[in-house]
Amino acid sequence: MPVAAAAARRKHPTSVGWWPVLFIGPLLAGVAVFYYYPIVANAWTSLTSSNAFGQNPEFVGVDNYAEVFASGELGSALGNTIGYTLIVLLGIPLAVLASALIALPGLRFAGLYRALFFMPYLAMPMAIAQVFRLVFNGDFGLVNQGLRALGVSTTPYWLTTPGFALLTVALFGLWASIGFNVIILSAGLKGIPVDLYEAASLDGAGPIRQFFSITVPLLTPSIFFLTIIQTINGFQLFDALFALMGWTNPALPQTRSLVYLFYHQGFIVNDKGTAAAVAMVILVLVAGVTLVQFVGQRRWVHYG
């Protein structure tokens, strides 16, 4: 090979030239414009104060953050968000059990059962919320009618009582998330070799022992993925809360989430700077929790 050709090959190790940049460049530009630029713009907005129309911004430093932390609303919203997220995460072990039962050898209509579990995930959250509002209605809802039939004389108003309202919203999130969890875990179950169950059976391990010693450990990558996704979804709670409780619910101040607090400050109070500060707090919290989850997964996730 001539010296000049070898030098050119070392300088350009591939023959594709600028084609990768041509194909990936628009995608990277879109990510920069629609993902990273809003974060930077929001960070700047959180350091400014403007009028009700968002005009004439003035730099105020960290005053918006100080106002958010001093108001007490952030702590309440954070507690509600964490409570909601923890209840929704309970759907993962339930989904593990449901997926394992559906995957039992010889079970008929297994595909139908998976479809039935997945259907709530496809439905519109607003439509599901309307059904939940009827089911948990304090006067004529099915839940209270069932409680009265069991002898409970004083039934709660689920959507207008603080505490019960958050529980109802969390049950909504739990029910809506199980279908997605089942589909992901069912896919994970298909990756577990059948030989392991056969060997365990020959060694005398029963179904329960196989579930805890084979199924659960080998599903931990899928469980970890769902934990990340459902935690992020939990910190983004807004639509379920808004659809179930509406605008004028008396329990709303004690039940609203972090994202609802952002909405309240930005679009009802029209305080863009404080709303942007709340959004930055949410971003930092989600990033921190996700980082902790990735660090902690080394202790309990098995990749084979």
Side-chain angles (χ1 to χ4, degrees), residues 47-244:
L47 301 175
T48 64
S49 178
S50 59
N51 59 29
F53 299 100
Q55 299 174 338
N56 304 321
E58 296 180 0
F59 182 77
V60 295
V62 295
D63 288 356
N64 290 325
Y65 291 92
E67 181 180 348
V68 168
F69 283 102
S71 67
E73 294 179 337
L74 182 67
S76 173
L78 177 60
N80 292 332
T81 303
I82 292 175
Y84 170 86
T85 303
L86 291 177
I87 293 177
V88 171
L89 287 176
L90 292 177
I92 296 179
L94 295 177
V96 170
L97 181 60
S99 304
L101 291 175
I102 293 175
L104 286 175
L107 180 68
R108 300 180 64 185
F109 310 116
L112 175 62
Y113 297 144
R114 292 192 186 95
L116 292 175
F117 272 107
F118 192 59
M119 284 179 66
Y121 187 74
L122 300 177
M124 292 178 59
M126 296 295 287
I128 302 176
Q130 297 308 313
V131 176
F132 263 70
R133 291 185 67 163
L134 294 175
V135 172
F136 285 91
N137 186 281
D139 294 320
F140 53 82
L142 291 177
V143 174
N144 278 358
Q145 290 187 31
L147 291 176
R148 293 188 191 108
L150 293 175
V152 179
S153 58
T154 305
T155 53
Y157 282 84
W158 294 92
L159 291 172
T160 55
T161 305
F164 285 107
L166 180 63
L167 176 62
T168 306
V169 175
L171 290 176
F172 172 87
L174 174 66
W175 182 79
S177 66
I178 283 185
F180 179 75
N181 296 344
V182 168
I183 292 300
I184 296 298
L185 293 169
S186 296
L189 282 171
K190 292 184 180 298
I192 299 177
V194 180
D195 299 348
L196 294 178
Y197 292 102
E198 294 175 351
S201 181
L202 291 176
D203 290 338
I208 295 178
R209 179 66 181 275
Q210 293 177 22
F211 175 76
F212 285 106
S213 300
I214 299 176
T215 303
V216 173
L218 294 184
L219 273 182
T220 50
S222 301
I223 295 173
F224 171 62
F225 168 76
L226 290 174
T227 303
I228 294 289
I229 296 298
Q230 298 301 352
T231 301
I232 293 175
N233 289 339
F235 272 86
Q236 295 176 343
L237 168 65
F238 176 77
D239 52 353
L241 194 63
F242 187 83
L244 283 172

